[in-house]
Amino acid sequence: MGFEVLFKGKNLIRLLGGVGVAMKISAVSVLISIVLGIVIGMIMTLKNPVIRAVTRVYLEIVRIMPQMVLLFIVFFGVTKLTGLNLSAEAASIIVFSFWGTAEMADLVRSSMISIPVIQYESSAALGLTKLQTYLYVIIPQIIRRLLPLSINLITRMIKTTSLIMMIGIVEVLKVGQQIIEANRKSSPHAAFGVFAVIFLLYFLVCWPISKLAGYLEKKWEN
Amino acid sequence: MSEILRVEHLKKSFDELMVLDDINLSVQRGEVVVIVGPSGCGKSTFLRCINGLEEIQEGRVLLGDEVINPAQKGTNKHREKIGMVFQSYDLFPHKTILENTTLAPQKVLKRKKDDAEKEALELLDRVGLASRKDSYPRMLSGGQKQRVAIVRALMMHPEILLFDEVTAALDPEMVREVLDVILDLAKQKRTMLIVTHEMAFAKAIADRILFLDGGQVIEDGDPKQFFESPRTERAKKFLSTFEYDRS
């Protein structure tokens, strides 16, 4: 079935190394997206029409544009245009953060506006200060709504990193292809085995994360 | 009796719309004032102005001898002394009943947790909900939630309590359990301002009735007199909407 190629030489180790590359880029992008997304999401709740328009356009661009096109624009386009020497890793982190930040900001915005005004008012009526109201009443509720949603975003980002092979990064999918190519003669069925294992590796990374989302959602159901 | 709350020439408008037009009121300690009137007459807004949840355009609200003004700092200090219960209960959904009732005493009044919990349990017991202390609001019925909301307000030891149509969102069979709690508070000589549509309850609990219409106080006086022989045509018309006649 083609699984045997994985046990040849360092193939399995190389494949796991590829997962590591994908995870490293995901982790950095996710971290940047969460931090910037929270800030921009908070800004998006402001009533200023200019801010609204700008963030709206940003979000729409990110949503409409396929991530691969974004990767190409940044890695091939922008580098050519500006003469900037951008590594493929840096380009992918920029693109994934650009995308993740927009999605995260929208999640933060929608979680924030979903807290009814009366929650602020009944806190105020009890004599809580603005800071106390945010600290003990509003933010815990926002986090409860936000966390499961943002975890889903994280798994989507991890899965989408498979695109970075298109700009020459040797991540898990690319390593898989290399292994298949190198063993074309000796193991003609390697494609099935290798991709099945890659599928399993992605599953092993994403499944616990989405399980966690489900668990938190259940725990905080209210 | 001593005066606890005074409202002087209060005017409130939302943009162009005048909602409260020159309201004057003096409430004595221990007095139960029930505010009635057709919907949209400004009675809920009036309560919100007293608690500083709405900015007012003219006049002033005094609690004791301190002016309540949401535009100024220190409104929180005044709000501690005014308890308010809203129509939609608005418990904190992520906190248990006990946490809901002890959060503000701990954070605002800086009371010890044990001490606050002890009092909360006594009060919850009084409204028949001590056994639900570890439940979350979503596990409670509307009437139960509203009783918790009352306890949450009482935990701040307010000098005056405001009730804003607290039974309007409840199923009929739950109205009674909430109103009984408020009647019990009246027996304890608590100062209360109550906005309600429950006329029988108003009649039973009020020391004084305030009839608002079109943002103005139309009648202010004895409940017996108000319900039996209202002085104004507008009050008569309002009260007649609660009576049914087949003819």
Side-chain angles (χ1 to χ4, degrees), chain A residues 84-183:
Chain A
L84 211 68
N85 191 12
L86 210 57
S87 73
E89 279 84 4
S92 16
I93 287 172
I94 289 171
V95 167
F96 280 91
S97 303
F98 181 74
W99 166 49
T101 299
E103 297 273 3
M104 185 69 193
D106 197 44
L107 296 179
V108 169
R109 184 196 60 83
S110 65
S111 305
M112 282 179 75
I113 59 168
S114 74
I115 307 292
V117 181
I118 194 90
Q119 285 284 321
Y120 294 86
E121 289 182 346
S122 57
S123 308
L126 285 166
L128 292 167
T129 62
K130 270 221 161 71
L131 183 68
Q132 287 172 331
T133 301
Y134 273 100
L135 230 46
Y136 305 118
V137 180
I138 306 301
I139 292 175
Q141 290 188 59
I142 290 175
I143 291 174
R144 279 168 162 73
R145 286 173 204 216
L146 189 58
L147 221 54
L149 300 172
S150 45
I151 288 174
N152 286 331
L153 173 64
I154 291 170
T155 57
R156 269 168 61 211
M157 286 176 74
I158 291 173
K159 285 184 289 185
T160 317
T161 51
S162 55
L163 293 177
I164 61 181
M165 64 179 271
M166 303 303 291
I167 58 169
I169 298 179
V170 185
E171 47 69 76
V172 59
L173 216 53
K174 189 73 199 170
V175 174
Q177 278 188 346
Q178 288 170 349
I179 294 172
I180 294 163
E181 291 291 329
N183 297 283

Side-chain angles (χ1 to χ4, degrees), chain B residues 52-70:
Chain B
L53 287 174
E54 299 284 351
E55 285 189 20
I56 60 177
Q57 275 72 44
E58 271 181 53
R60 54 182 194 162
V61 178
L62 289 130
L63 183 71
D65 45 19
E66 292 168 88
V67 178
I68 296 171
N69 181 353

Side-chain angles (χ1 to χ4, degrees), chain A residues 118-119 121-130 132 136-138 140-141 144-145 219-222, chain B residues 48 51 53 76 79-80 82 84 86 88 90-95 103-104 107-108 110 138 152 156:
Chain A
I118 194 90
Q119 285 284 321
E121 289 182 346
S122 57
S123 308
L126 285 166
L128 292 167
T129 62
K130 270 221 161 71
Q132 287 172 331
Y136 305 118
V137 180
I138 306 301
Q141 290 188 59
R144 279 168 162 73
R145 286 173 204 216
K219 191 178 162 206
W220 289 337
E221 194 181 10
N222 49 40
Chain B
R48 293 167 59 85
N51 205 5
L53 287 174
N76 300 311
R79 286 184 181 139
E80 287 174 39
I82 305 175
M84 183 155 183
F86 300 86
S88 46
D90 311 300
L91 299 178
F92 306 132
H94 60 298
K95 294 197 175 291
L103 175 74
K107 301 301 174 194
V108 180
K110 310 290 177 205
R138 74 188 129 93
R152 184 173 70 171
M156 294 301 289

Side-chain angles (χ1 to χ4, degrees), chain B:
Chain B
M1 286 216 283
S2 62
E3 185 183 68
I4 183 165
L5 179 81
R6 172 187 282 275
V7 178
E8 292 173 346
H9 303 291
L10 188 154
K11 285 192 187 176
K12 163 80 193 167
S13 50
F14 292 110
D15 299 323
E16 295 294 286
L17 184 73
M18 180 74 91
V19 184
L20 295 171
D21 186 6
D22 197 25
I23 306 269
N24 292 285
L25 175 71
S26 163
V27 179
Q28 307 298 312
R29 207 170 282 277
E31 199 174 18
V32 178
V33 179
V34 175
I35 305 167
V36 298
S39 6
C41 71
K43 46 194 196 302
S44 288
T45 308
F46 181 48
L47 284 194
R48 293 167 59 85
C49 288
I50 292 174
N51 205 5
L53 287 174
E54 299 284 351
E55 285 189 20
I56 60 177
Q57 275 72 44
E58 271 181 53
R60 54 182 194 162
V61 178
L62 289 130
L63 183 71
D65 45 19
E66 292 168 88
V67 178
I68 296 171
N69 181 353
Q72 271 172 12
K73 277 206 170 251
T75 315
N76 300 311
K77 284 278 152 240
H78 301 133
R79 286 184 181 139
E80 287 174 39
K81 300 177 192 159
I82 305 175
M84 183 155 183
V85 184
F86 300 86
Q87 179 178 337
S88 46
Y89 0 108
D90 311 300
L91 299 178
F92 306 132
H94 60 298
K95 294 197 175 291
T96 65
I97 300 313
L98 195 60
E99 288 166 349
N100 259 282
T101 50
T102 54
L103 175 74
Q106 287 180 72
K107 301 301 174 194
V108 180
L109 303 177
K110 310 290 177 205
R111 289 175 63 185
K112 290 238 163 47
K113 192 176 178 213
D114 297 349
D115 175 45
E117 287 187 346
K118 192 165 157 273
E119 191 191 348
L121 284 172
E122 283 167 15
L123 288 172
L124 285 171
D125 190 44
R126 192 152 183 159
V127 301
L129 289 170
S131 62
R132 306 305 302 271
K133 69 179 169 66
D134 296 319
S135 303
Y136 284 89
R138 74 188 129 93
M139 302 153 106
L140 267 54
S141 72
Q144 290 173 327
K145 278 190 251 195
Q146 197 57 287
R147 282 183 278 157
V148 173
I150 294 172
V151 169
R152 184 173 70 171
L154 290 174
M155 283 296 290
M156 294 301 289
H157 302 157
E159 293 177 17
I160 184 164
L161 279 162
L162 312 177
F163 291 93
D164 185 11
E165 300 197 33
V166 290
T167 57
L170 297 178
D171 290 336
E173 70 269 24
M174 288 172 187
V175 168
R176 183 76 202 215
E177 65 190 47
V178 172
L179 296 184
D180 280 342
V181 171
I182 303 176
L183 277 167
D184 188 41
L185 295 173
K187 281 187 207 133
Q188 299 167 30
K189 291 283 164 221
R190 300 247 184 196
T191 315
M192 298 192 275
L193 254 67
I194 303 169
V195 166
T196 186
H197 285 295
E198 303 282 338
M199 289 305 137
F201 171 68
K203 210 186 280 185
I205 200 169
D207 292 321
R208 185 172 153 199
I209 293 275
L210 213 61
F211 174 63
L212 254 65
D213 194 4
Q216 290 176 318
V217 177
I218 306 298
E219 292 203 25
D220 177 359
D222 180 56
K224 195 166 175 334
Q225 195 244 316
F226 174 78
F227 286 108
E228 284 167 16
S229 50
R231 286 191 300 266
T232 59
E233 275 308 309
R234 280 154 98 175
K236 268 180 212 156
K237 190 163 162 259
F238 170 71
L239 286 171
S240 72
T241 59
F242 294 92
E243 281 161 21
Y244 294 90
D245 205 340
R246 264 193 73 174
S247 62

